[in-house]
Amino acid sequence: MAEITDLAALRRAMAENAERPEGPARNARAEQLLAAAEGLNVPLAVIEALGHQLSVYNYSSEKDKMFVPFARLLRLWDERPGDFDAYETHSLHWVFKWMSAGMLDQPHIPLASIEKWLGEMEHRYRLAGHSERAVRGAEFSVAAHVGDLARAERAYAAWLAADRDEMADCHACELYGQGLWQVERGRDAAALTAWRPVLEGEFGCAHEPHSVLAASLVPLLRLGRTEEARAHHLRGLRLVRPMESMRAAYAEHVEFCALSGNEARGLELLAERPAYFTDTGHPRSRLDFLAVVTLLTDRLTELGLGDEPVPGPAGRAWTARDLAAHARTEALALAERFDARNGTSYVGERTRARMARRPLVDRLPLGVRTVRAAPAAPSAAPPPAPAAETSLPALLAEAHRLADTLRPEAVDAWAAVARAAGDGELAPADRALIADHEAMSRGPEGAELFERAAGLYAAAGDPGEALAARARGAYFRALRGEPDTALARVTGLSEEVRALYAAEATGVRQTASVLMSRARILMHRARTGAGPARDAAAAVREVPALIEGHDGTPDEGDARLAARVAESWGMLAELTGAAGDGAGAAELLRRAAAEYVRAGVPWCAVEYEVQVAALAEEAGDREEAERALRAALEHGGPYVEPAGQVQLHLRIAELAAGRGEVGVAAEHALQAAHWADEAGESGTSGAWARQQLGGYLLRQGRCAEAAEVLESALADLTAGTHGDGAVVQARWWLGDCLEELGEHRAAAEQRLLAADIARHWPEQRDHATLAHLAADSLGSAGLVAEADRAYARAGELWRALGDTRLLVRSLRARAWLALREDSGTAEAEGLMAEAVAVCEEARENAADSGARSSLTHELAQTHRQFGDLLAQAGGPGEAHFERAITLFGSLGPAGLHDRTAAELAAAELATELGHPEEASARAHAVLAAYENADETDETVRTRRAEAARLLGVAE
């Protein structure tokens, strides 16, 4: 660590320390720098070191330490104000506001002292000629904290009415405080309106939009604006994670998880910051954190997970129930200290209300991997609606209703009837239905049970239903591997039921049921090659002919008959498709789906809509494919299993993205990720869905959200399961996100990891591109040597691929890096000269006019940059500018803007070298080039303004 020997060295050390992460290490270094400043015997050095120490304390968990350096600063000001320069004078008055807020956050500081401090602040601001705005803002904070709402309203109005001056908080911080007050008064929508300029990036600072994003979460949930809430959580959490001082904002993200069905993610956040449980330097944010911990762990206990292990304060193992009790005790004790200091019960009341909040959303998908804290039901289908009574007659009525409407819950309903009835008396028909549904629930292993059902149907006086039950048993035997026996049985049963139907001894429903079982068996034989398709087709057609012929159309009230017709069309579609008629198959499938919907059993149409979508994609009709998939989702409702939901949403996302609807695609990818978690497929289809979602978010420019999602995806993406292409793409996208967010070192890491995989691929363009992008990121991160090596590697790859343009760009980038080094300009000039030579050679050998034009543009850019580089290095760059202007000019209108930019750069250089005539001539050339140009073109206006400025300088 360099020795501090003068004020300049001290300032460099303080600037370096200011860039370090918040925390005790940075604070300790500030204390060392203060000691060094005291040894310089320069009053301003001590003042600046005290200001630096105060600042790092304020932005850390040790806020309680900032009062000592401030008191010393204030004493120095009172004794020797001349030792303060203008900047330190401003800073001293600026941090008065930090002191008032800091005192309020420390319950050991008496309220009378805080009120006295307010008066001191007002007096000193008046002496310095500052507006009352900051003073009234501080008074408002005190009144709002203690619950003096009338005074708070007066101070709030006075704060907004006072003039903004140099002591006013930045716009972003002021809007944050104003929005918080609106939330406090129950005006969520007004708060979000106040925060809009911060959320949209119009205003910002070191802690904004971090705080606003966190504060907006619960109001957004209350207003039902869940998509915004999700986005603010993903974006905001990324901002507050590295900032130790933002415990209160971090707590709001945990609270959001507790109120949105993401309790497991809330626990993950607690595990990331164990020190937040115990850091005591800022009691007010610790109270916020502990209140939210209580809310989360109470919720887990309510869900039956009270004995599950959870992260908590170091030193012992915690269960959710234990941590809830501990956090509640600690939070209420802190609240009591604040209330005792304030002389009100306001803090305690708000703390209890916060701990008692109820979930606002059952489960809000976030896109990142998040398991459900409480086990989900094994199926997405809801349980049967509970009967008003649990008596046997009520259970029977419900079972009949579910069976008659073909509800999937009918099997469970008849099982409930069986349990309730026991060995008691039930009508034979009801006993038959119990046996029938039990047999169906067992699949092929229940074939023999259908015989029992048949006997009970016969005893109930329903011979047709008895035959239908035996026919179902025959079909199950076919599925069990007995197709010949099954066919023989069902053939005899079909003859019997036809005779009964002819004698009007049974109905169309029973007859259709037997014929459908025969059709199913023949279809099964056709699929397995055991029988001809024509026999199956003939048997299938008998079913709708019977049903639609008995009175022209299926009974509107009989879902079973309509379902038989629909199933028939579905079977015929299968046979038609197998014969090579995809269009005919699709039409029959659509007819089958429509019949199911008309019958009131739309969930049965899902399979057919999915098949329609597959046929449509094969035919290149993506619009019809998307329509069918959306219909499948709509028709299936809660009866589509989670794994099925995943596939449907992923396919819709892909189709939507293909037609440019990236927002729609992102929503479906989000749903796919959610259902994958529900299905227990987080590491397989869930990782793929998150990878896709990250890409869609990136395409929308939502880089912070995309980064969170892609990092979550990469925890599960593997080359073995998903393919190395998926892993490379995820890292590539993540690198793009991180670069956009200014996280250049992390971006370089992701791009290098992706490049390391791609280097093994036969085609090396992706490898070259990733190496080049990694070099860009390394250069932006200030890692010059590493960037140069990456550009050199990319250049070798571009040379091998024959891509001169990108080879030239890698050489130019290396030249600029070389100029940043202290070793002189020779290497930089050599690299730029090589770029010129490579580009000129390729241009001479270009195979066609298009390639030659492209290389001419690249050569012109290279000469332009060569001129810029020499100008920065103090060398003669005029010739390169002239060459660039000539080359751009040869491109005609396509090179106009680049030519004028080069002219202006040459004019600027001429001005600096003291050649006003040349500068003036070049500026006039630019104005002449745009003499009849479009006035609305921003580039035209900018170029003209710059030319006019240079003319003024030259004259």
Side-chain angles (χ1 to χ4, degrees), residues 731-747:
R731 293 199 182 281
W732 194 328
W733 282 335
L734 179 56
D736 291 349
C737 292
L738 295 170
E739 186 69 18
E740 186 67 26
L741 295 169
E743 300 177 38
H744 304 299
R745 187 186 292 259

Side-chain angles (χ1 to χ4, degrees), residues 704-721:
E705 298 167 62
E708 285 288 306
V709 170
L710 289 167
E711 286 172 348
S712 179
L714 281 165
D716 294 310
L717 279 173
T718 64
T721 301

Side-chain angles (χ1 to χ4, degrees), residues 50-51 53-54 57 65-76 91-100 103 117 124:
L50 284 168
Q53 187 182 69
L54 192 156
Y57 283 156
K65 291 185 175 182
M66 67 182 180
F67 300 108
V68 172
F70 181 74
R72 187 175 170 189
L73 273 172
L74 196 58
R75 186 173 66 251
L76 291 173
S91 296
L92 176 70
H93 287 82
W94 180 267
V95 296
F96 263 86
K97 299 177 296 182
W98 293 1
M99 294 304 106
S100 62
M103 290 178 179
W117 179 257
R124 288 180 180 265

Side-chain angles (χ1 to χ4, degrees), residues 614-743:
L615 289 169
E617 286 197 72
E618 286 179 16
D621 189 347
R622 296 172 68 87
E623 183 177 339
E624 170 61 9
E626 187 173 347
R627 181 213 62 78
L629 291 169
R630 288 179 179 277
L633 270 179
E634 179 186 350
H635 296 332
Y639 295 106
V640 179
E641 292 290 328
Q645 294 268 5
V646 175
Q647 297 309 314
L648 287 172
H649 282 294
L650 278 176
R651 289 176 67 186
I652 294 173
E654 181 182 353
L655 291 167
R659 57 181 170 81
E661 292 284 347
V662 184
V664 174
E667 178 57 33
H668 283 283
L670 172 69
Q671 291 298 323
H674 162 70
W675 284 111
D677 290 341
E678 294 290 296
E681 298 178 357
S682 295
T684 51
S685 60
W688 174 253
R690 276 181 266 280
Q691 191 250 27
Q692 293 293 295
L693 173 58
Y696 297 142
L697 291 170
L698 173 60
R699 285 172 63 180
Q700 295 177 83
R702 298 160 65 179
C703 294
E705 298 167 62
E708 285 288 306
V709 170
L710 289 167
E711 286 172 348
S712 179
L714 281 165
D716 294 310
L717 279 173
T718 64
T721 301
H722 305 92
D724 54 8
V727 178
V728 167
Q729 185 64 81
R731 293 199 182 281
W732 194 328
W733 282 335
L734 179 56
D736 291 349
C737 292
L738 295 170
E739 186 69 18
E740 186 67 26
L741 295 169
E743 300 177 38

Side-chain angles (χ1 to χ4, degrees), residues 410-697:
V411 170
D412 291 335
W414 281 109
V417 170
R419 289 192 299 272
D423 295 328
E425 288 296 322
L426 270 181
D430 291 332
R431 290 285 182 193
L433 283 164
I434 290 172
D436 208 349
H437 282 83
E438 182 182 356
M440 286 187 275
S441 72
R442 295 191 183 186
E445 300 308 314
E448 286 74 19
L449 273 176
F450 283 110
E451 290 298 325
R452 181 180 168 211
L456 289 165
Y457 280 127
D462 193 342
E465 202 61 65
L467 292 175
R470 290 193 174 96
R472 286 190 285 275
Y475 172 57
F476 276 37
R477 285 181 183 277
L479 296 180
R480 202 166 64 183
E482 306 171 29
D484 295 336
T485 301
L487 181 58
R489 287 194 179 200
V490 83
T491 300
L493 293 168
S494 298
E495 293 171 358
E496 288 185 55
V497 82
R498 283 193 180 97
L500 283 175
Y501 183 64
E504 298 185 356
T506 192
V508 67
R509 191 174 72 183
Q510 292 85 347
T511 307
S513 181
V514 176
L515 295 183
M516 179 55 77
S517 291
R518 179 171 177 269
R520 288 170 178 167
I521 291 170
L522 287 167
M523 283 291 297
H524 178 71
R525 289 170 63 84
R527 291 187 193 107
T528 58
R534 64 178 178 276
D535 289 351
V540 170
R541 288 193 178 92
E542 288 183 350
V543 178
L546 169 72
I547 295 171
E548 295 180 345
H550 85 287
D551 64 356
T553 183
D555 182 355
E556 291 289 341
D558 194 334
R560 301 186 205 196
L561 288 179
R564 299 281 185 237
V565 173
E567 186 178 355
S568 300
W569 302 137
M571 289 178 176
L572 290 173
E574 181 181 346
L575 294 169
T576 303
D581 183 0
E587 182 56 38
L588 285 166
L589 288 166
R590 282 191 287 268
R591 187 174 178 183
E595 193 66 44
Y596 274 129
V597 173
R598 191 188 69 79
V601 286
W603 51 88
C604 296
V606 171
E607 178 185 349
Y608 296 148
E609 294 285 14
V610 170
Q611 292 178 45
V612 169
L615 289 169
E617 286 197 72
E618 286 179 16
D621 189 347
R622 296 172 68 87
E623 183 177 339
E624 170 61 9
E626 187 173 347
R627 181 213 62 78
L629 291 169
R630 288 179 179 277
L633 270 179
E634 179 186 350
H635 296 332
Y639 295 106
V640 179
E641 292 290 328
Q645 294 268 5
V646 175
Q647 297 309 314
L648 287 172
H649 282 294
L650 278 176
R651 289 176 67 186
I652 294 173
E654 181 182 353
L655 291 167
R659 57 181 170 81
E661 292 284 347
V662 184
V664 174
E667 178 57 33
H668 283 283
L670 172 69
Q671 291 298 323
H674 162 70
W675 284 111
D677 290 341
E678 294 290 296
E681 298 178 357
S682 295
T684 51
S685 60
W688 174 253
R690 276 181 266 280
Q691 191 250 27
Q692 293 293 295
L693 173 58
Y696 297 142
L697 291 170

